[in-house]
Structures are given as C-alpha cells and as structure tokens.
C-alpha cells in the first residue's frame, strides 16, 4: 500500500500528521505525542524537520512557533549495562539537570483571542486533576468552567508519569479511591471515545528489609479487607509471574493482579475533548499571573491573556500549586521534587506486572508499545521545580533494574526525562477549602500517584462542589490538618 | 546494489549467518552493507504496518536496518562491523520477513491509523484490540543473555571537548593543536574524516586534513557522545567508547564544548519513501566510496548542490543514472545531462524498488526503471547536544530544518557551548572547515584571555 512516511520508526504518515492538526494539535510537542512521531528508535533524528516543514507548509503553526521537541538523552540508544557502569555517590544529593526546553513556553504559542471575561469556576492547571474535575463538573450540569493551562496538555506531571495504577496502598482512603479510579479507567474508552490501553498485568511489590516486608504484609491484610485480592507471594511464585526476576535480597513480595498500567496522554486528551464538547473552555498556553482579591474572596483570576471574574477558583496546578497559591498569599506545605524516569527500545511483550522494590523506590513495567518504562526515587533530591535530566539517575536506575532482571543489560535506553512530584509532609493530598480565602479550593499534593487517583477524586470533588453536601474527604485532607497536626500518612509511595 | 570491481581489495572475505543461510561479506564493513550487496534487500518489518524495510540512512538515524544480532535485539546493522559467523535474524515478521501475514494491516489502513480512537467505545472489539495490540507491539525479543561486565566508567578532564571528526571538527582540532590548546575529539565513526571520506564532495572541497599531525591520543574514534549533562563538578559530555576491550562510559569535563556533530540524513516524505531500495544520499556515497557497493541503475531525487555532487559520484562509480530529479530547481547548467526539474516523486516496486515516477514540469507523470532511489537533500542538523547545553535552536524555513543559532565564530546562547559546521544549517565542506577553524580560533583567544 502506497504511503508517505514521515516517521518510519513508528509508521507515522503525512496523513497522520494532518489528522493530528485537524484535531487541534498544532505545536510540535503535541503533534509528537498524538501521532507518536519521534518516539521510536531514531528518537526523531530523521523525522523532526520533515514534520516541522509539513506544519509550516500547511500553515498549521507560525514559523516562530515551530520549536523542536526537547532532545532527550541519550543521543543514541545506549545499553543499560553501559549506563550502569557509572559509580554514583549515594551520600551526595543530586545536583544540576540538563536544560529543559519547554520549561518556559514561548509567547508565540499563546492564542491571540482573549480568554472569557467571566466564569463560575476557574480551574488553574490543565493536568489530569484539573481536566478530570472540569469534566465531572460538566456531568453534574456545571458547564460555566474555564481550565487554564500554561503549556500544552501533558506539559506537567500528567504527561510525564509512568502510568502505573494500583490498589495496593497503605490507607483505606487511597485503596478505595484507587479501586474506583481503576473501575472508571476500564470504562474510559467507552465513555470518552479514546483508548487509554489500561492493561491489568498486576503490581508485584518486593521488600528488601524486614521493616518494609512487615509493611507489605500489614497492608496486604488491609487490601483484603477492602476486597482487593492482594496476595503474599513466595519468591518462587514471584518468579513464576516474572520469569528471570532475581528477587535479589527480597524478603517478601505481594501481588495484586488487578493493578496495572495505562497510557497517560490520551487520558488527558479524553477529558479535554469531553470538556470542550460540553462547552467548557480549555485554554492552553495561558498562564495565571495573579489574583484580584477582596473581602476574603478571589474576585478575578489574572492571566497573560486577560482577567477572568469568577465565583470559585480551583488550584490544580500540581507541583506548581505552591507557586500559584502564593500569588494569592496562600502558603501551601507542598514542595516540588524532581522525579526522573526513562523508556527503552520496544520489545515484544515479556513482562506482565509492574515490578517495584518498595525500599529503593525502583519500579519498572512494560508499556503497551513494548518499552520498559521505569524510575527510581532519590532520597536526597532537593526541593525545587527542576525537570532536568541527570546521568546519575540513569546509572542508578540501570544498576537497580539489571540487578533484578539481568537479561535487560543489552537493552537500550531511548530517552530519559523528568517531572515533579508534588510532595506534602504526609504524602497525602491537599483538598478542599482554603482557610481565609473561602472560594479558593485546593486540588493538589498528590505526590507520585495523582494520575491514578484523578478519576475518583475529581468525581467526589465535583459532587461536593455542586451538591453542597459534605464529604469527609475534603475535611480529612484539608489544609487545616497541617496546623492541627492531624496528618494522614501514606507509606506505600514509590519512586 | 552490487559490489564494484575493486571490492576484493576492501577486506577479508567472510560469511555471516542470516537465519540459517550464509551470506558473503567483507570483514569490518557494516553488516547492512554486506546484506544489500548480497541482494538481501528486506532486513526488517516495520512496527505497525509490517512494511518491508531495508537500510535507508546508514547513519544510525532511522530504524530501517534494525535486526537481532547474536541474540541482541534492535541492533543497528548499518553500524555494526561484519565478523565471521555473526548470527542475524529479522525482527517483527511472521512467519518470515519476506512473507509476513501481518502485512495485511498495511492494507486495512490506507492512509494511516489513529490508534487513539480505533475501536474505542466498541465494548468487545476494544478489549480484543487491546490484547491483539499488545501482542503486535514491540520490535525485538528480549536478549538471550545478560550483557558482559562493562569496563569501569572514567572521568576525563580537558580544556576543549570537540564532538565530531568531520570537516568542521577536524579543522577545529588542527587549529586548537596549532595554538597549543589541549583538546579531545570524539568521533562516532571508526575513522575521522566525515564527509571527506564518505560524502559526495563538491569540486572545491578541501583535502582531508592529516590527523597524524594531531597530538597523540587527541582523537578518539568509535566514541559516541550521548548527552551534555551537568552535575556538582560542572558541565560534562557523556561519551560511550567502543574498543576491543568492550564498551566504556566517559564523563568528559571541559571548559569549552565545540560541537560539530554534523547532521542526520532526513526522511523526505513521498509515496513509498520507505520501500527497500530507497537510500539516503549519505548512504549511497558512503557505500560507494568506502565499501565499494553501488546500485547498477539509480534514480536520484533531491535538491541543491548535494544532488548533483551525488549524481557525479554515482556516475563515476559506473552507476547508470535513470533520472536526476531536482525538486526545487532550477537545474544548473553544470548539472549532469538528463537532470530535470520535477515534483511528487513516488517509488514503485513489490518488496523493493523497481522504478521511480515523478511529475515533470509539463505536468506529465514520468516513470523510469531503476534498482535504487537515492534521496539527496541537505542534512538535518544534529542540534541535540548544543540544545541540551542551552543553545538556541530555530526552524530555518528556507532549508526546512532546525538549526543551532550561532554567531559567525560559532558562539551560542550558552557561554561554554560552541558550534561549527552542518549543525548550524548545512553548507559545503569548505564552509564547514572554515567554520571549525574560526570557532577554534575565537575559542582559543577566549581561553587565553582568561574569560570563562
Ligand atoms: C516521573 C513521574 C512518574 C509518576 N508516576 C506515576 C504513576 O505511575 N502513577 C500515578 O498515578 N502517578 C504518577 N505520578 C504522579 C502524577 O503524574 C501526578 O500526581 C499527577 O499527574 C498530578 O496531576 P496534576 O493535574 O495535579 O498536575 P500536572 O499534570 O502537573 O498539572 C498541573 C498543570 O498546571 C499547569 N500550571 C502550573 N502553573 C500554572 C499557571 N501559573 N497557570 C496556568 N497553568 C499552570 C502546569 O503546566 C501543569 O500542566 C508520577 C509523576 C512523575 C513526575
């Protein structure tokens, strides 16, 4: 069949690019995500200019708006075994990070038309939480909503995460929310007309120390109480699930077959499309710059495209939430922490579950496209909005991964990137009203699991906002808890 | 593709094992070169549509030549040197790359495929699709065995780190050497020289600089820069060096980074541009000049001086030119006879190229028989490393490429990142060499002046 290939690694045609443009994806980063061009083995070397030329020719984008997508390291596919050879001083905090192209969004990408003059609800942040909330508000009849996003959809943590979804948590609240979310994810394609490729291959946790093993055992019992079929595994049973897994130093392992992975980007697009269909404005490349306040209320949200008068404002700005809240004089306890992640060359399916070592925060899974996607926390990572990539991370990760699956040593890393966790003192979210600024609502602090919690939390929040009925979620996780010392500790955070 | 008469002189005769059959090769040449010279044009099947793929770029910048080599998946056969007894397998094909039943997918989706919306909302189809999609996804199979232990990573410190041993990088190296500035040059290829050795040179191209005049050990070959990172000690280049002892990772800290990595051969979108037998101009000149392999009858499409330089080179190798189609024009007076202005090229052939058609200036469709289509367009600047270092990159509308923004001396928006050669947009060999020299001179002055 005759075709004009633009990206021959991922079989993306000229028609595919035009289809993306017709769907409203006009900047290079978005076209890349929608079509998959540039995400294959050549990492964009042979296709990027051709795509830009096509966008220029079709007048899909202004010439100054044609910016290359961030060139992710490594420049050429590089074996995990080679990256693992770099010694890392674990007593020193990570410093630096590669220049991140899209951390500043060029004004030329900003739409020229002004934003709506007023709206009942203004949501700041077009990540998964902001979009899912807007969508759920529309389901409840509230369509006078504007979502403001400073970049393209997927610019924040929601476009940078590992797509892991699991019910194995350490608190009842999180277990229940995750259960509901995964149920909604299973229906997402039918409800929203877009595939998110939920694959329930399970999560296999392991613990290397006694203390962590006890935590796993305790939590497994809690899962069962909530009807989640988590099982404690013997190491042999774990190896049956993941052939070749060494389980080095493992003391215990748990497995819930209903956990899984999802492809993050279409999840955002699905919500955004449904919002737009309902008449909700989703404004990309639009930055909130301040607030107009009087009498303990926010009156207007100021943006670089004009001001919007509103009744309610929701801070759903992920790791940027403290920065946004500060514009209104509100101090949030959240801190952004860089979290790095990588993806390898695509392999035929061999790995069922997402595997995680709870002690080190190592996690890895195989995406629907066949890539190994994984990350690992760095306990010494300092606070800050840093999304730069480091060699330190790939080296630590490569070592930890090949220790568990030695046959991956020859597997090549295709790209690494980073996002920010939105970390709170008790690893639990900040939800509900703001003391002293009653019409500012908080929807942040989801650390490393906001993606999977979004469907369920936003459903509850929309119901709470529109019905006026109380919901303990928004009291339990309110900002007040930090003053009152009622922390809600979650001990199953990874990464 | 066929071997030119002087092939015997180009290395020892060996055999490779392709799925149980032996294939003749010359030791040390890229495996993909051995395969196409032996008439094996289909090396792989593409990821989604299972389209037949043969090598295109010979530069590690596409994915057409990926094969399983000695149990390791997704290996760039355009870069791996042939060794006797190497085991090669085609990937992502069932039952074989020549007869692949999944090729049907290509016909189901004549224009392209929106996997986001496909079957979404159809309860059963969607679930079946998810299972099928997972099985179809991916390219190679998991490696057979763990990787060998790698050599310990090393730290290297030097005043100037040069990336790229082409015209720009080598000219820079000579200038730095003359000024007594210590430097290390990293070249991905087995030999420095870049297009001096592998390109279709313009008539005014300077001679290959003599690398033996450079300080001992200042040029590292088979050394691939994979990123420009930073850490507590400052900016460093991560380099993977391949030697007989194995692979080694270097962290190279330098006061200045002079980046002259050239460009990648781009895909030019046209009908069937991925058909085996369509080669980048870079591939054609490299195969002909370095490995003595060339098509018998070739049709060239492209634009600019590079198109005609390639036409002259191929003619000199005894390749018959079925057509030289200039997509931008006008055709210069010095062009080889038969060169025409044309548009809308299309490659034809079942499994591999047998013809090229294009629209002539009069609007007529012209079809010529050939066994290879050569795409001669300017390189896509390899802006990645400079960009990672903070240099600005802009889209050059005339050339239709992204290029690094730099002043005449190669200074970028980042004080320690300098560039020269094709990375700023592309030009002649002489221009690249001059740019390398200028950048090295300006940078040496700066270093001597103590500015940092
Ligand atoms: C590497 C990594 C891996 C992860 N893995 C998982 C996982 O496997 N599973 C999981 O559930 N979660 C995971 N997470 C966490 C998850 O991604 C986040 O919790 C979730 O995406 C948060 O969604 P959000 O909408 O709050 O934030 P974001 O997606 O960050 O959205 C906030 C948005 O606000 C915008 N914004 C900021 N400032 C302004 C302003 N002034 N004006 C307008 N807009 C503004 C930002 O551009 C951003 O798009 C991971 C996170 C990272 C970084």
């Amino acid at each position: 069949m005759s075709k004009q290939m633009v990206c021959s690694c991922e079989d993306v045609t000229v028609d595919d690019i035009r289809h993306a443009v017709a769907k409203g994806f006009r900047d290079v980063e978005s076209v890349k995500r929608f079509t998959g061009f540039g995400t294959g083995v050549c990492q964009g070397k042979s296709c990027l200019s051709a795509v830009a030329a096509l966008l220029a020719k079709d007048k899909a984008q202004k010439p100054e708006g044609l910016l290359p997508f961030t060139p992710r390291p490594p420049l050429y596919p590089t074996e995990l075994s080679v990256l693992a050879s770099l010694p890392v001083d674990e007593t020193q905090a990570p410093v630096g990070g590669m220049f991140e192209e899209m951390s500043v969004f060029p004004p030329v990408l900003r739409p020229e038309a002004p934003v709506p003059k007023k709206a009942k609800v203004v949501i700041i942040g077009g990540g998964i939480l902001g979009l899912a909330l807007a969508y759920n508000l529309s389901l409840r009849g509230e369509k006078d909503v504007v979502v403001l996003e400073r970049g393209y959809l997927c610019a924040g943590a929601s476009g940078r995460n590992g797509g892991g979804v699991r019910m194995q948590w350490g608190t009842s609240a999180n277990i229940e929310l995750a259960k509901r979310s995964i149920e909604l994810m299973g229906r997402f394609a039918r409800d929203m007309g877009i595939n998110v490729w939920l694959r329930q291959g399970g999560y296999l946790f392991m613990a290397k120390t006694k203390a962590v093993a006890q935590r796993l055992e305790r939590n497994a019992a809690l899962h069962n109480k909530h009807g989640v079929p988590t099982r404690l595994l013997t190491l042999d049973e774990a190896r049956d699930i993941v052939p070749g897994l060494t389980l080095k130093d493992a003391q215990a392992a748990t497995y819930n077959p209903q956990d899984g992975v999802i492809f993050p980007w279409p999840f955002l697009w699905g919500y955004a499309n449904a919002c737009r269909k309902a008449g909700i404005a989703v404004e990309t490349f639009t930055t909130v710059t301040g607030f107009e306040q009087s009498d303990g209320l926010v009156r207007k949200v100021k943006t670089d495209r004009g001001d919007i008068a509103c009744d309610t404002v929701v801070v759903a700005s992920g790791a940027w939430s403290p920065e946004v809240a500060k514009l209104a004089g509100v101090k949030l306890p959240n801190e952004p922490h860089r979290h790095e992640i990588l993806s390898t060359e695509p392999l035929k399916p061999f790995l069922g579950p997402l595997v995680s070592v709870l002690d080190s925060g190592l996690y890895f899974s195989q995406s629907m496209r066949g890539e190994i996607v994984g990350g690992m926390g760095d306990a010494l990572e300092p606070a800050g909005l840093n999304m730069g990539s480091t060699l330190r991370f790939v080296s630590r990760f490569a070592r930890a991964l090949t220790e568990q699956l030695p046959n991956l040593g020859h597997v090549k890393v295709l790209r690494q990137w980073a996002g920010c966790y939105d970390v709170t003192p008790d690893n639990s979210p900040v939800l509900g009203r703001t003391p002293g600024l009653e019409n500012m609502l908080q929807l942040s602090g989801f650390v490393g699991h906001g993606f999977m919690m979004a469907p369920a939390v936003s459903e509850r929040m929309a119901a709470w906002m529109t019905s006026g009925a109380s919901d303990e979620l928004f009291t339990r996780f309110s900002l007040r808890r930090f003053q009152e010392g009622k922390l809600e500790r979650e001990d199953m955070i990874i990464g | 593709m066929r071997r030119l008469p002087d092939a015997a002189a180009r290395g020892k005769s060996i055999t490779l094992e392709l799925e149980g059959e032996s294939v003749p090769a010359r030791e040390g040449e890229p495996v993909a070169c051995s395969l196409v010279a032996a008439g094996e044009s289909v090396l792989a099947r593409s990821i989604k549509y299972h389209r037949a793929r043969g090598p295109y770029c010979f530069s590690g910048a596409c994915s057409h030549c990926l094969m399983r080599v000695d149990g390791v998946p997704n290996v760039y056969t355009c870069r791996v040197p042939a060794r006797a007894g190497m085991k090669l397998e085609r990937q992502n094909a069932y039952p074989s790359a020549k007869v692949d039943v999944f090729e049907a997918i290509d016909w189901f989706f004549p224009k392209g495929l929106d996997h986001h919306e496909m079957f979404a909302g159809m309860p059963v189809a969607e679930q079946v699709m998810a299972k099928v999609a997972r099985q179809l996804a991916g390219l190679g199979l998991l490696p057979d065995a763990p990787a060998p232990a790698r050599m310990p990573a090393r730290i290297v410190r030097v005043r100037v780190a040069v990336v790229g041993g082409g015209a720009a990088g080598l000219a820079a190296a000579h200038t730095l050497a003359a000024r007594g500035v210590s430097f290390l040059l990293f070249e991905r290829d087995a030999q420095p020289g870049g297009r001096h050795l592998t390109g279709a040179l313009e008539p005014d191209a300077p001679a290959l600089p003599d690398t033996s005049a450079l300080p001992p050990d200042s040029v590292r070959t088979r050394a691939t820069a994979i990123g420009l990172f930073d850490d507590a000690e400052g900016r460093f280049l991560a380099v993977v060096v391949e030697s007989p002892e194995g692979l080694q990772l270097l962290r190279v800290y330098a006061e200045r980074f002079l980046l002259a990595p050239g460009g990648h051969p781009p895909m030019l979108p046209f009908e069937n541009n991925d058909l085996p037998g369509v080669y980048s101009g870079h591939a054609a000149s490299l195969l002909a000049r370095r490995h003595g392999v060339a098509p018998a009858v070739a049709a060239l499409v492209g634009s600019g001086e590079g198109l005609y330089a390639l036409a002259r080179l191929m003619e000199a190798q005894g390749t018959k030119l079925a057509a030289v189609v200039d997509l931008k024009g006008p055709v210069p007076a010095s062009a080889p006879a038969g060169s025409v202005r044309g548009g809308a090229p299309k490659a034809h052939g079942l499994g591999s190229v047998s013809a090229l058609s294009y629209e002539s200036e009069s609007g007529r469709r012209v079809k010529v028989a050939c066994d290879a289509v050569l795409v001669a367009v300017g390189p896509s600047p390899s802006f990645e490393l400079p960009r990672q270092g903070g240099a600005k990159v802009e889209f050059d509308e005339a050339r239709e490429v992204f290029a690094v923004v730099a002043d005449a001396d190669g200074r970028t928006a980042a004080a320690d990142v300098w560039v020269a050669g094709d990375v700023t947009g592309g030009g002649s060999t002489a221009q690249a060499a001059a740019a390398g020299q200028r950048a090295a001179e300006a940078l040496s002055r700066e270093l001597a002046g103590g500015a940092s």
Side-chain angles (χ1 to χ4, degrees):
Chain A
M1 175 55 66
S2 183
K3 283 193 170 76
Q4 295 192 53
M5 285 292 160
V6 175
C7 158
S8 53
C9 299
E10 292 298 310
D11 275 349
V12 178
T13 64
V14 167
D15 287 311
D16 286 327
I17 302 291
R18 294 200 163 124
H19 175 66
V21 171
K23 293 245 159 207
F25 298 95
R26 290 165 167 265
D27 62 284
V28 173
E29 292 278 4
S30 296
V31 173
K32 163 186 162 179
R33 284 168 178 74
F34 190 77
T35 62
F37 100 81
T39 64
V41 177
C42 98
Q43 304 150 294
K45 294 186 187 79
S46 67
C47 52
L48 178 55
S49 289
V51 170
L54 189 63
L55 295 177
K57 194 171 119 209
D58 288 0
K59 303 214 175 339
Q61 182 58 255
K62 290 176 252 179
E64 323 82 76
L66 288 170
L67 298 158
F69 56 67
T70 309
R72 305 281 182 210
L75 177 53
Y76 289 91
T78 305
E79 287 193 11
L80 284 159
S81 61
V82 174
L83 296 166
S85 70
L86 182 82
V88 169
D89 183 350
E90 297 275 352
T91 65
Q92 297 294 314
V95 175
M98 190 179 275
F99 182 83
E100 173 75 3
E101 175 118 20
M102 275 298 189
S103 48
V104 214
F105 297 97
V108 331
L109 296 174
R110 196 184 299 152
E112 272 149 26
V115 281
K117 289 238 160 339
K118 60 182 180 46
K120 259 199 177 141
V121 183
V122 172
I123 298 173
I124 307 171
I128 193 72
L129 281 151
L131 291 169
L133 176 65
Y135 168 71
N136 277 286
L137 286 171
S138 80
L139 287 186
R140 301 192 146 263
E142 184 54 83
K143 297 178 181 179
D144 189 8
V145 180
V146 175
V147 181
L148 301 172
E149 168 53 51
R150 66 196 262 280
Y152 51 92
L153 297 179
C154 303
S158 304
R160 295 166 178 268
N161 65 68
V165 300
R166 57 166 155 130
M167 305 168 192
Q168 295 192 61
W169 285 101
T171 60
S172 296
N174 274 337
I175 297 168
E176 283 302 325
L177 287 171
K179 269 173 64 184
R180 175 65 181 154
S181 273
I182 292 172
E183 189 186 332
L184 290 168
M185 287 170 182
R187 288 184 5 207
F188 198 84
R190 257 159 289 158
D191 292 349
M192 317 296 255
I194 189 160
N195 293 312
V196 285
W197 307 108
L198 171 68
R199 183 173 68 77
Q200 289 174 285
Y203 254 58
L204 195 160
F205 272 108
M206 62 176 105
K208 284 188 164 186
T209 57
K210 264 246 145 52
V212 178
Q214 280 166 357
R215 209 195 301 166
L216 274 187
E217 284 160 23
R218 188 182 64 232
N219 288 340
L222 183 65
H223 303 161
N224 296 344
K225 229 186 264 167
H226 286 272
V228 175
T230 303
R231 287 189 276 137
L232 285 169
L233 299 179
T234 64
L235 301 191
D236 280 339
E237 286 170 332
R239 271 182 216 108
D240 285 344
I241 295 172
V242 182
L245 196 64
T246 61
L247 289 145
K248 186 162 185 296
D249 303 332
Q251 304 244 351
T254 60
Y255 176 67
N256 169 25
Q258 295 179 354
D259 296 338
V261 289
I262 198 165
F263 189 39
W265 302 333
F267 210 174
L268 278 92
W269 301 326
Y271 279 130
N273 286 345
C275 284
R276 286 179 172 138
K277 257 191 218 147
I280 290 177
V282 178
E283 304 286 347
T284 52
F285 299 106
T286 307
T287 305
V288 170
T289 54
F291 297 95
E292 205 177 289
Q293 290 160 250
S294 63
D295 307 325
L297 291 174
V298 172
R299 304 291 173 176
K300 276 184 180 169
V301 177
K302 297 181 177 198
T303 82
D304 54 3
R305 291 172 56 208
D307 299 352
I308 311 173
C310 63
D311 295 344
T312 303
V313 58
V314 182
V315 178
S317 320
W320 293 267
S321 296
E323 191 182 276
V324 170
K326 200 170 149 207
L327 295 172
V330 173
K331 191 171 162 16
L332 296 185
N334 319 21
E335 273 185 349
H337 281 259
R338 170 174 57 190
H339 185 86
E340 297 189 67
I341 181 165
L342 61 72
S343 171
T344 69
E345 61 189 288
L347 297 165
K348 289 285 170 201
F350 70 93
L351 177 63
L354 182 148
V355 178
S356 174
V357 179
L358 191 53
D359 315 63
S360 64
L362 168 77
Y363 66 93
F364 58 94
S365 66
Q366 190 174 23
S367 74
M368 274 298 279
R369 300 173 9 139
E371 308 135 318
I372 303 299
V373 175
M376 182 158 127
D378 201 323
L380 298 180
E381 181 67 51
L385 278 165
N386 181 356
M387 296 201 288
S389 294
T390 66
L391 192 64
R392 168 187 168 110
F393 158 69
V394 273
S395 306
R396 294 176 71 236
F397 176 83
R399 223 177 354 266
L401 173 61
T402 50
E403 175 191 283
Q404 292 300 337
L405 268 183
N407 277 15
L408 292 183
H410 276 302
V411 171
K412 297 175 275 304
V413 175
L414 283 194
R415 59 184 168 276
Q416 63 172 117
W417 67 96
C420 283
Y421 272 24
D422 176 15
V423 183
T424 60
D426 58 359
N427 286 332
S428 291
V430 180
L431 300 176
R433 286 189 207 291
T434 310
L437 204 55
E438 282 297 293
N439 69 342
M440 175 180 270
L441 305 181
Q442 305 293 340
L443 180 55
S444 72
F446 280 93
V447 194
H449 52 291
F451 201 78
M452 69 181 92
M453 296 301 177
V457 169
S458 58
E459 189 181 49
R460 294 264 292 265
M461 183 141 169
W464 174 69
M465 282 170 70
T466 50
S467 70
S470 72
D471 180 336
E472 60 96 29
L473 204 59
F474 303 95
T475 340
R476 182 200 299 238
F477 292 113
S478 79
L479 260 178
R480 285 189 203 282
R481 78 175 186 277
F482 300 103
Q483 286 142 23
E484 294 165 359
K486 289 191 193 141
L487 300 190
E488 287 285 328
R489 261 181 227 296
E490 171 56 61
D491 62 7
M492 289 277 285
I493 298 288
I494 56 172
Chain B
M1 289 279 177
R2 70 208 156 93
R3 290 199 190 264
L4 299 172
D6 69 343
R10 298 184 187 248
K12 196 173 126 196
S13 258
I14 53 167
T15 56
L16 311 175
E17 195 188 312
L18 171 64
E19 290 159 0
E21 287 175 32
S22 50
V23 175
R26 301 271 158 203
E27 187 166 48
E29 71 183 0
V31 166
C33 166
S34 320
L35 294 173
V36 294
E40 295 289 349
S41 54
V42 180
L43 304 197
R45 285 281 168 171
S46 74
I47 200 157
K48 211 151 72 182
Y49 301 122
H50 287 244
R51 289 165 73 85
R53 288 285 156 80
Y56 171 73
C57 76
F58 271 90
S59 188
C62 72
S63 57
H64 291 204
C65 72
L66 298 179
M67 296 180 90
R68 189 177 186 86
V69 178
D70 291 335
V72 177
N74 306 337
V75 173
Y76 271 122
T77 57
C78 73
R79 309 227 19 114
V80 170
R83 265 183 293 102
M86 234 173 187
K87 286 197 173 43
L88 311 170
E89 294 160 83
R90 296 177 175 102
Q91 305 186 131
N92 204 33
Y94 182 84
S96 80
K98 285 183 183 152
V99 203
D100 182 347
V101 294
F102 293 115
E103 202 175 12
I105 302 173
D106 194 23
W107 294 85
F108 273 120
F109 301 97
K111 290 195 142 207
L113 177 163
D114 180 347
H115 50 281
H116 302 306
E117 294 186 2
M118 190 176 58
F119 299 112
M122 295 160 71
V124 178
E126 170 203 313
Q127 275 154 27
V128 174
M129 259 325 287
K131 288 216 170 67
V132 174
R134 166 137 162 107
Q135 290 312 313
L136 284 177
L139 218 47
L141 299 165
L142 192 68
D144 292 342
R150 299 301 179 191
M151 290 193 285
R154 271 191 29 196
I155 291 182
V156 177
R157 288 174 217 278
V158 66
R159 291 206 87 182
V160 182
V162 182
V163 174
L170 286 178
H174 279 274
T175 308
L176 292 170
R179 310 239 155 178
V181 179
S182 85
F183 72 93
L184 280 175
L185 182 150
F186 301 98
E187 165 56 49
R188 191 162 62 105
D189 209 341
Q191 294 169 50
R195 72 176 117 171
H196 283 295
L197 298 177
T198 62
L201 292 176
E202 313 83 4
D204 68 342
L208 171 68
D210 176 15
T211 47
S212 66
L214 294 172
D217 290 331
S218 60
V219 175
R220 308 279 169 91
T221 52
R222 292 193 185 281
T224 303
I226 58 166
L228 193 51
F229 293 91
D230 65 351
D231 66 7
E233 290 174 64
R235 184 110 72 190
F236 68 91
L237 197 65
V239 181
V240 177
V241 185
E242 207 181 322
S243 69
E245 291 82 51
L247 297 171
Q248 184 172 41
L249 181 63
L250 305 183
R251 265 185 300 166
V252 183
Y253 293 89
E255 290 167 55
R256 297 289 183 280
F257 297 87
L258 205 175
L259 307 175
H264 313 295
M267 283 293 277
L268 180 69
F270 60 85
E271 295 287 333
N272 284 334
N273 56 348
D274 61 337
L275 192 63
V278 177
Y279 294 91
S280 70
H282 168 79
S285 61
L286 170 111
L287 288 174
R289 290 192 60 200
R290 188 180 268 180
H291 305 296
V293 170
V297 184
L300 277 63
V301 289
S303 57
E305 183 44 41
L307 172 67
Y308 299 107
L310 183 66
R312 283 187 288 267
L313 171 69
M314 298 319 291
E315 254 186 331
Q317 310 288 334
T319 295
K320 189 172 165 299
L321 301 182
V324 177
V325 184
D326 193 324
L327 299 171
K328 288 195 171 151
V331 177
S334 60
S339 304
V340 294
R341 175 83 201 271
K346 175 173 181 173
H348 301 262
L350 276 175
S352 68
V353 164
S354 60
L356 173 86
S357 70
Y358 61 93
E359 213 172 275
S360 73
E361 264 188 306
S362 62
R364 208 165 45 87
R365 200 134 199 108
V366 181
K367 189 168 177 180
V368 294
C370 59
D371 57 10
V373 170
L374 311 181
V375 180
V377 292
S380 241
S382 178
F383 63 79
E384 299 87 350
L385 296 171
R387 184 70 202 145
Q388 291 170 353
K392 225 175 133 192
V393 174
E394 274 177 3
F395 189 65
D396 177 336
E397 267 197 283
R399 288 193 172 115
E400 303 193 322
V401 293
F402 286 107
V404 177
V405 180
D407 72 5
D409 287 338
R411 265 184 211 89
T412 72
D416 55 347
V417 176
W418 294 61
V419 288
D422 279 354
V423 71
T424 60
S428 68
T429 314
Q431 285 167 334
Q437 183 180 340
R438 269 199 316 276
E441 276 166 3
L443 185 153
S444 308
R445 276 198 305 274
E446 214 183 85
L447 286 176
S452 64

